[in-house]
Amino acid sequence: MIEARNLHRSYSIGKKSIEVLHGIDLSLKKGECAFLCGPSGAGKTTLLYTLAGLERPQQGSVVIDNTDLYSLKARQQAAFRNANIGYIFQNYLLLPELTALENVMVPGAIGGANTKEQAEAALERVGLSKRGEHLPAELSGGEQQRVAIARAVANRPAVLFADEPTGNLDSRNSGEIMDLLLGLAREGGTTLAVVTHDPELAKVGDRQLLIRDGAIEEIGS
Ligand SMILES: Nc1ncnc2c1ncn2[C@@H]1O[C@H](COP(=O)(O)OP(=O)(O)OP(=O)(O)O)[C@@H](O)[C@H]1O
Ligand SMILES: [Mg+2]
């Protein structure tokens, strides 16, 4: 389903260059739920961005469902992402001037689909059907995260990426959000890659991976 080969990514700041991804290989099967852990700055967000087609690696390839992401033209790539990939960003990235429902409708609107019903159904799946008219600032952290999840799963993507989806939540809310994500993934046969700091939360996945020193290792399954 996801085949990443030999991913390299480095950043230079001034004369210094740091290599964040040093030839990473990763395969995820359809429907597999993988958790990625690793110290702050290890490159978890960079890897997730690269896998999702949001950041071109300097070397290597990412193939999702037989489509080589970085060989597509920008517009085709954006259309592929819109149709197949859901992404939950590290800090929600909800649009502050849009209501919860409107936020959930954005990707569908970009894809040209009629999405109000789809968006309402997604809010219901995350338990927020009564909060559709609220602005993000009128929602709790956990609720904002649920809106971000609803937005990512509204069109039932084949692949879902989540970057620290429980980073700002207490342990009870964290458990609930993780259960919700896994439930949605299992129900839809969705391939799921989740970044988390919390090794306890990572245990619920099919595979646990550690990113350290530019490399990835399997630490459990
Ligand atoms: N656009 C950029 N320019 C320069 N350096 C960057 C850029 N993006 C990321 N980096 C550097 O790459 C490294 C990896 O960053 P990344 O955000 O992937 O880490 P992370 O594992 O997600 O960390 P955290 O757990 O704190 O979210 C960091 O040292 C960061 O400073
Ligand atoms: Mg990060």
Side-chain angles (χ1 to χ4, degrees), residues 1-5 7 25-32 34 47-48 50-52 61-67 69 80 84-85 158-161 190-193 207:
M1 181 72 193
I2 303 181
E3 288 283 340
R5 286 286 159 264
L7 297 177
D25 294 318
L26 178 63
S27 302
L28 296 181
K29 294 196 199 93
K30 180 167 167 45
E32 209 164 37
L47 177 62
L48 225 54
T50 307
L51 293 174
S61 62
V62 176
V63 176
I64 293 186
D65 225 359
N66 299 318
T67 299
L69 280 188
F80 181 85
N84 298 285
I85 297 176
V159 187
L160 184 57
F161 295 101
T190 307
T191 307
L192 177 65
R207 288 167 68 186

Side-chain angles (χ1 to χ4, degrees), residues 44-45 90 163:
K44 303 180 296 297
T45 296
Q90 188 158 4
D163 194 352

Side-chain angles (χ1 to χ4, degrees), residues 24 45 66 93 145 204 219:
I24 288 201
T45 296
N66 299 318
L93 288 186
Q145 190 57 290
V204 296
I219 53 171

Side-chain angles (χ1 to χ4, degrees), residues 113-144:
N114 168 19
T115 54
K116 184 145 188 243
E117 270 171 36
Q118 210 179 44
E120 282 168 347
L123 278 181
E124 191 170 337
R125 279 152 75 208
V126 302
L128 281 184
S129 39
K130 297 212 170 75
R131 292 283 185 278
E133 299 310 315
H134 287 239
L135 294 171
E138 300 164 348
L139 297 169
S140 73
E143 287 170 343
Q144 290 179 51

Side-chain angles (χ1 to χ4, degrees), residues 26 34-38 44 47-48 51 193-196 209 211 216:
L26 178 63
F35 279 75
L36 312 170
C37 308
K44 303 180 296 297
L47 177 62
L48 225 54
L51 293 174
V194 186
V195 166
T196 179
L209 304 154
I211 303 170
I216 195 164

